[in-house]
Amino acid sequence: MSAVMEAATVGPPVLIACSHGTRSAAGRTTIAALIAQAARELPGVRVEHAVVDVERPEISGVVARVAADSPVVVVPLLLSPGHHTRVDIGAACAPYPQATAAPALGPHPELVDVLTSRLAALPGGDAGFRPGDHVVLAAAGSTDPASARAVERMRDLLQAELPAPITLGYGEGVRPRLPEAVAAARAAGARRVVAVSYVLAPGHFAGLVQRSGADLVSAPLGADPAVASVVVARYREMTTAIT
C-alpha cells in the first residue's frame, strides 16, 4: 500500500486552499469567506489557507508542515493554470508523495453561471443586452500558454449563454491588454463595452478591470456559493484519485 493510501486511511486529506495573495483588505475578506463556505461543505475535513505571493503563509511552508503527518490536496483558488499552479504549487507538492494538487478552478460551467449573474446585477442587466453591446472577458493574464487556452475556453462557454460578441482582454502577461481590448471593441463599432471581471476577488487585477475604460464593469466572482462548489468539486476529484 502506498504512503498516500496508508495516510488516507487515517482520515480525509487536508484541503489546502491556495490563493494568489493580495494587499486588498476586501480581497482578503472575500477569500476568507470563500474558504469558509467551502469548509462548510466539507464537514470533517481540515482546511488550511496558503498563498503564492504577497501574503503569508506561503504554500511551500504550509505543505511541508501539513504533509508531515497527513495526506494533502492543494486546491488553487486561481481561475486558470499558469506559473503559480505549475511552478509554485507544483514545487511545493513535489517532495511529498502524500501531497497532490488539483487543477485550477476554471474553466468550469458553474463559473459561467456566476459570470452571467454578475452581468445581470449591472444597471440594466435584467433587461438584457442592447444592440451594439460588446463584452470583454477580463482575465488576469499569464505568459503561460495553458492559461490563455483556459481563458479562451471560458470565453467559449460564456459565449454560448450571451447574445453579444465576446473578446478577451488581460491585465498582465499577454495581449491584448484590457484597455486595448476595450478600444478595439469600440473601433469595431461597439456602442457599449461591458467588461466581465473574470477575477476572483477585489485587489490588483480587479482594479485593472475597473480602469479598463469599459462602460460597465461587473463585480469579481467573489465568495459565491457556485465558486465554493467548484473548490469542493476539485478537492473531491483529487481525493477520489488518490484513495
Side-chain angles (χ1 to χ4, degrees):
M1 181 180 293
S2 70
V4 171
M5 293 182 69
E6 288 177 2
T9 62
V10 176
V14 176
L15 165 59
I16 300 179
C18 183
S19 65
H20 181 278
T22 179
R23 294 181 178 88
S24 165
R28 293 181 180 187
T29 299
T30 298
I31 294 299
L34 175 61
I35 294 171
Q37 188 152 296
R40 287 193 291 272
E41 293 189 36
L42 293 167
V45 174
R46 176 180 162 195
V47 178
E48 300 254 353
H49 181 211
V51 298
V52 294
D53 199 7
V54 181
E55 296 181 65
R56 295 288 185 270
E58 192 265 337
I59 182 62
S60 62
V62 177
V63 171
R65 171 172 55 80
V66 177
D69 54 17
S70 300
V72 169
V73 172
V74 179
V75 176
L77 302 186
L78 302 166
L79 295 174
S80 301
H83 179 87
H84 291 311
T85 56
R86 179 173 50 82
V87 177
D88 296 322
I89 295 175
C93 293
Y96 306 98
Q98 65 273 37
T100 188
L105 300 183
H108 197 285
E110 288 199 56
L111 299 183
V112 175
D113 295 339
V114 183
L115 292 174
T116 56
S117 71
R118 296 293 176 268
L119 281 170
L122 290 171
D126 290 336
F129 286 90
R130 307 171 187 171
D133 280 354
H134 185 108
V135 171
V136 173
L137 181 61
S142 169
T143 57
D144 191 318
S147 176
R149 289 193 295 271
V151 176
E152 289 164 4
R153 175 58 180 155
M154 276 301 300
R155 177 202 54 201
D156 294 344
L157 292 172
L158 183 61
Q159 185 67 83
E161 301 298 323
L162 298 182
I166 304 174
T167 53
L168 301 176
Y170 300 93
E172 295 176 354
V174 65
R175 283 193 151 79
R177 298 295 171 82
L178 289 166
E180 295 171 342
V182 171
R186 289 208 175 98
R191 295 183 179 180
R192 188 174 66 160
V193 181
V194 182
V196 182
S197 297
Y198 189 47
V199 298
L200 197 57
H204 173 70
F205 291 108
L208 294 178
V209 183
Q210 286 289 342
R211 297 189 294 274
S212 66
D215 298 293
L216 292 172
V217 176
S218 70
L221 277 66
D224 191 280
V227 181
S229 292
V230 176
V231 175
V232 172
R234 294 296 193 225
Y235 169 82
R236 286 176 171 157
E237 289 163 7
M238 298 312 299
T239 299
T240 299
I242 65 176
T243 57

